[in-house]
Amino acid sequence: MKLLIMGPPGAGKGTQAEGLVKEFSLVHVSTGDMFREAIKAGTEMGKRAKEYMDKGELVPDEVVVGMVNERLSQDDCQEKGFLLDGFPRTLPQAIALDEAIEALKINLNGVINIDVPRERLMARLTGRRICRNCGSSYHILFNPPQQEGKCDNCGGELYQRSDDNEEAVSNRLDVYENQTQPLIEYYIQKKLLKNINGDQEINKVLTEVITSIKTTSNISDYDDSLPSCC
Ligand code: ADP
Ligand code: AMP
């Protein structure tokens, strides 16, 4: 199965992706995570991306498209399928993705849009904490770890992303509205969009997303016999 998860920054894409990749045994391909890994590794691409990310701007299309095309052609994505998170974010990226999936002779099965009103997003993002080791996402109030500052899954240290400050978040929300939100119509036209209310408790959102995937006819290459553990 090949899926996209969309929504504004802070909608809960990463949080839901954690549950979805387990449920459907997919590879999680998050462009934001890939850039953060490149920054950590000190690569040239990471250094270039950081300049845009810290200001809440988008990394240029040609950089992101090249990175995603390479990732999707790798064996694990081909064999298990994937959940793309944070890509595409512009119309040229969506067109490039269509070209890439045509070249790979695969289809997109669905696009999950997590819908959350803008006024909820600032508090979600400024209170977000991420595990330095495994990338799990927490919130100091809405989804706190059992032990402050420590990841429940792996015990890793939790940190605050450098772009989760008020100024960068405000810019990211404007960028989303201007450049990414129009893609909702793009995927409605392709009859792929599944709209989910993300302004509900985390597990309720997950249940609705899973139900929507399992009950939608064009998301049909899901094998019910697969265990949900791997
Ligand atoms: P995204 O990947 O869309 O930017 P995240 O999944 O990282 O968003 O979630 C942003 C923040 O909001 C995190 O701190 C997360 O714990 C919190 N969060 C996610 N889903 C919900 C929800 N349904 N209700 C309240 N807080 C949420
Ligand atoms: P995210 O982790 O999805 O919130 O992304 C963090 C930052 O990485 C964004 O604010 C952008 O600067 C950059 N980024 C991630 N994905 C993309 C993309 N598809 N296009 C351009 N920039 C991106």
Side-chain angles (χ1 to χ4, degrees):
M1 192 157 55
K2 286 91 187 170
L3 299 172
L4 303 188
I5 188 160
M6 291 187 61
K13 301 181 293 297
T15 303
Q16 295 303 324
E18 281 179 43
L20 291 174
V21 297
K22 275 189 201 140
E23 176 70 24
F24 297 108
S25 302
L26 301 172
V27 178
H28 182 202
V29 180
S30 156
T31 45
D33 285 352
M34 290 166 85
F35 285 132
R36 281 183 288 278
E37 275 157 29
I39 292 170
K40 208 163 129 188
T43 67
E44 275 313 307
M45 186 185 71
K47 283 180 199 151
R48 195 172 163 206
K50 190 172 177 5
E51 289 174 27
Y52 296 93
M53 291 168 78
D54 280 347
K55 287 184 265 179
E57 290 170 8
L58 294 183
V59 177
D61 286 338
E62 67 273 14
V63 178
V64 196
V65 166
M67 180 177 80
V68 171
N69 283 356
E70 195 186 321
R71 185 69 188 91
L72 296 188
S73 64
Q74 287 170 357
D75 288 349
D76 57 344
C77 287
Q78 295 295 304
E79 284 156 18
K80 295 174 82 180
F82 54 78
L83 175 67
L84 251 180
D85 165 1
F87 182 93
R89 266 172 149 106
T90 64
L91 187 58
Q93 290 181 19
I95 293 168
L97 178 62
D98 285 346
E99 290 167 359
I101 57 183
E102 201 185 323
L104 291 166
K105 298 190 171 45
I106 55 178
N107 286 312
L108 262 191
N109 301 104
V111 177
I112 312 294
N113 182 50
I114 310 285
D115 190 20
V116 178
R118 180 170 173 146
E119 62 268 22
R120 292 265 190 273
L121 299 170
M122 181 62 79
R124 281 197 187 187
L125 289 166
T126 52
R128 171 162 65 184
R129 299 292 181 271
I130 307 282
C131 174
R132 222 179 260 292
N133 181 43
C134 73
S136 290
S137 181
Y138 296 87
H139 192 281
I140 50 172
L141 301 175
F142 309 143
N143 184 25
Q146 281 167 14
Q147 200 184 330
E148 200 187 320
K150 265 198 167 184
C151 177
D152 293 347
N153 298 330
C154 72
E157 181 206 358
L158 302 187
Y159 79 103
Q160 183 171 29
R161 274 171 48 174
S162 58
D163 58 347
D164 278 348
N165 61 74
E166 285 204 18
E167 198 186 342
V169 167
S170 172
N171 196 24
R172 284 156 66 200
L173 295 176
D174 289 344
V175 167
Y176 168 78
E177 280 176 12
N178 294 329
Q179 300 204 54
T180 310
Q181 207 168 27
L183 297 184
I184 292 175
E185 186 56 33
Y186 184 83
Y187 289 114
I188 289 175
Q189 293 300 323
K190 289 181 174 285
K191 300 196 180 349
L192 286 171
L193 197 89
K194 319 287 154 214
N195 210 42
I196 303 288
N197 174 13
D199 190 13
Q200 326 179 65
E201 200 262 313
I202 291 173
N203 284 331
K204 179 105 184 9
V205 179
L206 183 61
T207 304
E208 288 194 11
V209 176
I210 290 174
T211 305
S212 161
I213 292 172
K214 286 184 177 175
T215 55
T216 306
S217 57
N218 63 350
I219 308 188
S220 57
D221 64 349
Y222 163 65
D223 180 352
D224 256 322
S225 65
L226 286 173
S228 62
C229 59
C230 46

